[in-house]
Every structure is written in C-alpha cells, then in structure tokens.
Amino acid sequence: MKHLLLIILTFLCLSSNAQTLKTYSGQYNCINKNMLYDYGKATYTYFDGEDRRIFNGKFSYSDRDRILKGKFKDDKQTGVWTLSEKIYFGGRLIISITYTDGIPNGPFSISMVDSKSNTTRAYIKANFNNGKLVGNVTANMNRSLFDSYRNRFDSVFDIPYMNKMSGSFDENGMPSKIWVVTGPTCKITETYNQDGTYNVKTINTSTGDRVDEDRPAYMPKMLVEAANYAIRKTRMRSSEKLQLPQFDFDDTVSLQDNTQDYVEYIE
C-alpha cells in the first residue's frame, strides 16, 4: 500500500509540474537574423520557457509565395520539413529535408515542379548523416533548377546543357569514387581517389573524342551549395547559422578537406 501511495504521489507531482502545451495561430514575424522568412502567418504548438516560447509539435508557416511545414521537439526541428515556394516561371521549388535535434540527418531533395502539368523538371537527391553529406547522389538538372532570379546557388555551375548526374560521398562527407554528368553531347567524369587526389575527364559523346581543357572539379561543390540552400530555406529557431563548408580544389589536383568538423556553425 505504501509503495502504491508513493507511486500515486509521484505521478501527481510530475503532472502538476508538466508543461502546458498551447497553440498559437496568427501573424508571424521572425526576429531570427538568419531566418529567410520575415512576415507571414503561422500555426504552432508550444509551451512557455523562462524567457522564450519552446516550440513543441507541429509547425506551419505561409505567406503569398511559400508554405513551410514540419515539427519541433523541445524547440529543435525534428523529422521531415518541407518547403513549397513559387518561382518565376509559374512552377514551384520544393525542398524536403530531415532533421534530428535540429541537425540535418536523413534524406533531402530539391525539385522544380511545373504547376500546370505537375511534372518534375529538375531534381537533386542526397542524404545527410548527422550533418554530413553521405552516400549516393542523383540529380537531373536541366539548368532551370539553378536559374531562379531570386535563388541562385550556381556559382560553380557553368555548363549550359547538363543533364543526369550521379556520385557519392564517403562516411566522412568527402566526395568519393566516380562522379558523372551526361549531357546531349558531353560526358564529364570526376574520379576521387583514396589518397585525396582527383582527375577530371571530358568526352564529346557525339564524336567519342576526349576534350582537352582545363576544367576544375565542381560536382561536389555544387551539391554542397544545394545542401546549404536547403538548410537556409528551412532552418528555424536557432541563433546560429548552420552551413556546410566548401571543398578546396587546388591547382595540384589534390582534394583538400578544409573542414575540422564538417558541420560548421557561423555566428
């Protein structure tokens, strides 16, 4: 009986101290300096912390151009977050990214969808593991995916008619093995070796001839740009800016890892 009474009293004590979950629905003006969304409407659940609300549960935000949805657990993003945003040609840019405790962890994708036909015009698919890009990468990139007048992340994307791409990152987030891009008359191969070196080869697929040109490696850089873009567009409730550092491809055809921890927080 004493044990039962102790259990009941403990339960009542815990219940009395439990946080009360509340719901907010209305105008949303984010004061986070790193947040891309300035003003819109949001609905979310939360409980009161000492000096700020602690978001906990479903979250949705919308304005005239975009819809962002996901979940929080103790003020940190968790699970799949999706963003659907209007873009200039009448289509939608759709980002899907998975978080664990506020860190990208799981599949992510960026796609461009034609609103009228509901067909996907271009896409990138890759994976995070605890903030690092790992595993296989696939993409179909007609250039329009990177040409939105407001949302450029194509500083190393300089080939007019790229098409399908494939590659992979190792468990440390470094590009590995063979990356390939094929276009209408061009095939570019970037081979990343275990000793940190790499080489680039370009073939004219219409003639079968190798094209001798000083082309830098760029495919992993482009994927990092895409990943950073996805993070910037979905990152919430953090005073720190989460960003993946870029790779440094120097003139000695050696791949330099310019990161200590691949996930870098920038004030």
Side-chain angles (χ1 to χ4, degrees):
M1 179 63 71
K2 290 182 179 180
H3 290 295
L4 179 60
L5 181 61
L6 180 60
I7 291 173
I8 294 173
L9 291 175
T10 301
F11 176 78
L12 292 175
C13 181
L14 290 174
S15 298
S16 64
N17 292 326
Q19 301 289 352
T20 302
L21 202 61
K22 303 176 183 178
T23 298
Y24 173 85
S25 183
Q27 297 294 334
Y28 189 78
N29 186 13
C30 184
I31 62 174
N32 187 337
K33 63 181 180 180
N34 295 314
M35 187 60 188
L36 294 179
Y37 313 107
D38 295 325
Y39 193 75
K41 294 183 178 180
T43 299
Y44 60 86
T45 53
Y46 69 96
F47 57 83
D48 291 319
E50 291 185 3
D51 56 359
R52 63 181 289 180
R53 291 177 178 176
I54 306 300
F55 286 30
N56 199 70
K58 293 182 178 181
F59 175 93
S60 64
Y61 169 91
S62 64
D63 56 34
R64 66 178 185 177
D65 292 325
R66 60 190 63 84
I67 299 172
L68 177 68
K69 292 183 178 181
K71 291 183 180 180
F72 285 96
K73 183 177 180 181
D74 296 329
D75 222 37
K76 294 182 179 180
Q77 289 172 274
T78 186
V80 178
W81 281 71
T82 58
L83 170 72
S84 177
E85 184 174 43
K86 294 179 183 178
I87 46 182
Y88 69 99
F89 70 90
R92 299 198 71 85
L93 191 70
I94 299 175
I95 296 174
S96 175
I97 184 168
T98 306
Y99 286 94
T100 300
D101 291 332
I103 300 297
N105 189 45
F108 99 90
S109 64
I110 303 175
S111 58
M112 178 176 283
V113 177
D114 189 298
S115 295
K116 292 182 179 180
S117 63
N118 200 34
T119 57
T120 299
R121 294 177 52 166
Y123 67 84
I124 288 176
K125 296 179 181 179
N127 293 274
F128 283 102
N129 183 12
N130 196 28
K132 297 178 180 180
L133 286 171
V134 299
N136 294 332
V137 172
T138 58
N140 188 355
M141 300 171 297
N142 64 43
R143 189 175 167 86
S144 59
L145 178 59
F146 302 93
D147 274 348
S148 172
Y149 69 98
R150 291 179 302 168
N151 303 318
R152 296 182 66 88
F153 55 98
D154 60 336
S155 62
V156 293
F157 191 77
D158 59 356
I159 297 178
Y161 301 106
M162 295 184 69
N163 207 329
K164 295 186 181 298
M165 188 192 76
S166 62
S168 64
F169 292 95
D170 66 19
E171 61 184 6
N172 296 313
M174 300 296 292
S176 65
K177 301 179 181 178
I178 299 175
W179 289 60
V180 177
V181 165
T182 55
T185 61
C186 181
K187 179 179 179 180
I188 304 170
T189 302
E190 297 177 4
T191 303
Y192 297 89
N193 306 309
Q194 291 184 345
D195 62 1
T197 61
Y198 70 90
N199 55 72
V200 181
K201 181 173 68 174
T202 303
I203 298 294
N204 183 330
T205 55
S206 66
T207 65
D209 298 330
R210 179 164 179 169
V211 180
D212 292 324
E213 57 183 14
D214 185 19
R215 179 180 297 281
Y218 65 92
M219 295 185 208
K221 283 188 174 184
M222 190 195 68
L223 260 296
V224 170
E225 287 187 356
N228 282 333
Y229 181 77
I231 292 170
R232 289 197 307 271
K233 298 290 281 187
T234 59
R235 184 76 166 158
M236 297 281 293
R237 300 296 290 169
S238 175
S239 61
E240 296 172 306
K241 183 178 180 180
L242 176 62
Q243 179 169 309
L244 309 185
Q246 266 294 2
F247 302 107
D248 178 20
F249 298 99
D250 66 16
D251 295 333
T252 62
V253 295
S254 176
L255 175 60
Q256 306 295 320
D257 179 10
N258 65 347
T259 72
Q260 295 179 353
D261 296 318
Y262 192 70
V263 176
E264 186 175 276
Y265 292 90
I266 302 175
E267 293 293 341

